[in-house]
């Protein structure tokens, strides 16, 4: 049976609620001065009178943000964050009513952590740093779980994720080629760039944790802990593969950056690079560079002394 990370998701929602509470209270109190906005919101949302609502409940917070998005929250939050709120509401419902169609595997849990962190970063809540720490702990815990379940060393489990990343990169490269074929006009180029950015975003959850793994491995090495590593020859092969992937990604990033510049000239709306999706595209490049760092660190500590 696959490991469930439902408990980690619950903790993420607790931290999210701590960060959202003062923000939601301030915005709603300003929009409805002189009223008990919590009681008003509970009534508008159709809550029964015998059901206690609380500002510390993430489900209630997210419902309020969704219901009063336009007049209360849209003036201070970007449009893409409304989808983040929707995604978190859905995840909260899945957590409260679990079923076989929505397993709490590590990738699902990582997406919840990332969405919650994005929302807290947008409102400058200090709890965002706590969520980043929880995400890091989640990723490293998942590596240990995979290693234990499959009888691997932690280093082998890390290399396994590298192979998965390489496969995803190859698939993404094909998708980018398809997207370029439809980029014939200014409108077409804009759609193609948006599509590419959306595709890159879909890969984010699979690769963002590598940054956390790198940091955790560095701490292990700094603390003097022994880290199991594969044979030097195998490690060099993995390093060469990662380097090839990085070169290919950098080439793709240069092409995409040029397309973004061209799209900006034909768009009157918000620059895609300044959106959360655009920033996550940049994260993909950064994460692959950090992955190379993992391999370099491991190779160094596994070499002859």
């Amino acid at each position: 049976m696959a490991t469930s990370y439902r408990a980690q998701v619950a903790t993420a929602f607790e931290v999210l609620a701590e960060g959202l509470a003062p923000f939601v209270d301030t915005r709603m109190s300003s929009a409805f001065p002189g009223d008990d906005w919590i009681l008003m919101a509970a009534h508008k949302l159709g809550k029964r009178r015998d059901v206690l609502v609380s500002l510390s409940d993430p489900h209630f917070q997210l419902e309020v943000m969704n219901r009063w998005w336009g007049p209360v929250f849209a003036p201070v939050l970007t449009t893409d964050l409304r989808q983040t709120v929707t995604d978190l509401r859905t995840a909260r419902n899945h957590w409260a009513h679990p079923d076989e169609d929505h397993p709490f595997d590590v990738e699902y849990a990582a997406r919840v952590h990332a969405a919650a962190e994005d929302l807290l970063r947008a409102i400058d809540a200090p709890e965002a740093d706590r969520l980043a720490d929880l995400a890091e702990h989640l990723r490293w815990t998942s590596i240990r779980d995979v290693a234990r379940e499959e009888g691997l060393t932690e280093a082998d489990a890390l290399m396994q994720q590298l192979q998965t990343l390489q496969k995803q990169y190859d698939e993404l490269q094909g998708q980018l080629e398809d997207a370029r074929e439809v980029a014939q006009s200014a409108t077409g180029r804009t759609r193609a760039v948006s599509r590419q950015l959306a595709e890159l975003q879909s890969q984010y959850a699979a690769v963002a944790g590598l940054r956390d793994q790198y940091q955790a491995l560095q701490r292990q090495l700094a603390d003097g802990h022994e880290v199991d590593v594969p044979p030097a020859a195998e490690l060099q092969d993995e390093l060469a593969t990662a380097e090839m992937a990085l070169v290919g990604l950098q080439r793709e990033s240069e092409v995409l950056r040029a397309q973004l510049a061209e799209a900006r000239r034909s768009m009157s709306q918000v620059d895609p690079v300044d959106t959360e999706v655009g920033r996550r595209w940049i994260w993909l490049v950064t994460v692959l560079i950090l992955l190379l760092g993992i391999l370099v660190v491991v190779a160094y500590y596994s070499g002859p002394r």
Side-chain angles (χ1 to χ4, degrees):
M1 181 178 179
T3 302
S4 173
Y5 297 92
R6 187 168 181 263
Q8 286 87 339
V9 170
T11 302
F13 274 117
E14 290 175 3
V15 176
L16 174 66
E18 290 181 33
L20 282 182
F23 172 75
V24 173
D25 187 37
T26 298
R27 296 299 304 174
M28 291 295 286
S29 295
S30 176
F32 303 100
D35 295 334
D36 188 331
W37 74 262
I38 294 180
L39 290 180
M40 179 276 296
H43 175 71
K44 294 286 187 181
L45 292 170
K47 303 294 185 182
R48 300 199 318 265
R49 292 187 177 183
D50 59 338
V51 174
L52 180 65
V53 294
S54 170
L55 183 57
S56 62
D57 178 6
H59 178 66
F60 178 65
Q61 294 170 344
L62 294 168
E63 281 194 308
V64 167
M65 292 186 71
N66 181 69
R67 173 64 174 78
W68 284 276
W69 178 266
V72 179
F73 300 99
V76 294
L77 296 176
T78 57
T79 303
D80 58 310
L81 286 170
R82 184 167 194 179
Q83 183 59 49
T84 300
V85 170
T86 298
D87 293 342
L88 287 169
R89 288 178 66 213
T90 300
R92 175 59 176 73
N93 288 335
H94 290 162
W95 177 87
H97 309 285
D99 59 70
E100 295 180 356
D101 294 332
H102 301 93
F104 286 88
D105 57 22
V106 64
E107 297 306 334
Y108 187 87
R111 288 197 297 272
V112 173
H113 280 69
E117 183 183 346
D118 286 347
L119 186 53
L120 291 181
R121 294 275 180 215
I123 64 173
D124 295 323
E127 288 80 5
D129 290 336
R130 287 174 57 194
L131 261 171
D133 290 340
L134 287 174
E136 178 179 337
H137 180 71
L138 169 69
R139 272 294 174 181
W140 197 246
T141 297
S142 72
I143 290 293
R144 294 195 178 100
D145 290 341
V146 169
R148 183 181 63 255
E149 292 170 2
E150 299 186 10
L152 304 172
T153 66
E154 291 181 9
D156 286 339
L158 188 63
M159 293 303 176
Q160 190 177 76
Q161 286 212 1
L162 173 62
Q163 294 171 356
T164 300
L165 176 61
Q166 179 65 50
K167 180 179 178 181
Q168 292 172 342
Y169 170 76
D170 292 341
E171 293 174 352
L172 178 59
Q173 193 171 32
Q175 293 170 354
L176 291 174
E177 290 294 337
D178 293 340
R180 278 196 289 269
E181 291 180 1
V182 301
Q184 300 299 326
S185 63
T187 301
R189 286 191 295 272
T190 299
R191 287 198 302 268
V193 169
S194 298
R195 176 183 172 187
Q196 290 173 59
L197 291 177
E199 290 165 351
L200 288 169
Q201 183 183 20
S202 71
Q203 305 299 324
Y204 172 76
V207 300
L210 293 172
R211 172 193 55 157
D212 307 327
Q213 296 165 14
Y214 171 57
Q215 293 171 344
L217 182 58
Q218 281 190 316
R219 285 198 298 272
Q220 276 196 319
L221 295 172
D223 293 339
H225 295 162
E226 292 187 0
V227 179
D228 294 327
V229 297
E234 179 183 340
L235 189 62
Q236 291 301 321
D237 289 342
E238 295 290 353
L239 181 57
T241 299
E243 288 173 343
M244 291 176 62
L246 180 60
V247 170
L249 181 64
Q250 288 173 333
R251 189 177 299 113
E252 291 295 338
S253 71
E254 291 171 1
V255 173
L256 183 55
R257 188 179 297 276
Q259 290 183 348
L260 285 170
E262 187 176 358
R264 281 200 297 270
R265 291 192 293 270
S266 64
M267 293 171 64
S268 59
Q269 57 265 38
V270 178
D271 180 358
V273 174
D274 293 332
T275 67
E276 188 61 31
V277 176
R279 290 191 291 272
R280 287 182 174 178
W281 164 69
I282 296 172
W283 259 107
L284 182 60
V285 180
T286 304
V287 168
L288 272 183
I289 294 173
L290 288 174
L291 175 58
L292 287 177
I294 294 176
L295 296 175
V296 171
V297 171
V298 174
Y300 174 79
Y301 279 88
S302 64
R305 295 296 184 193

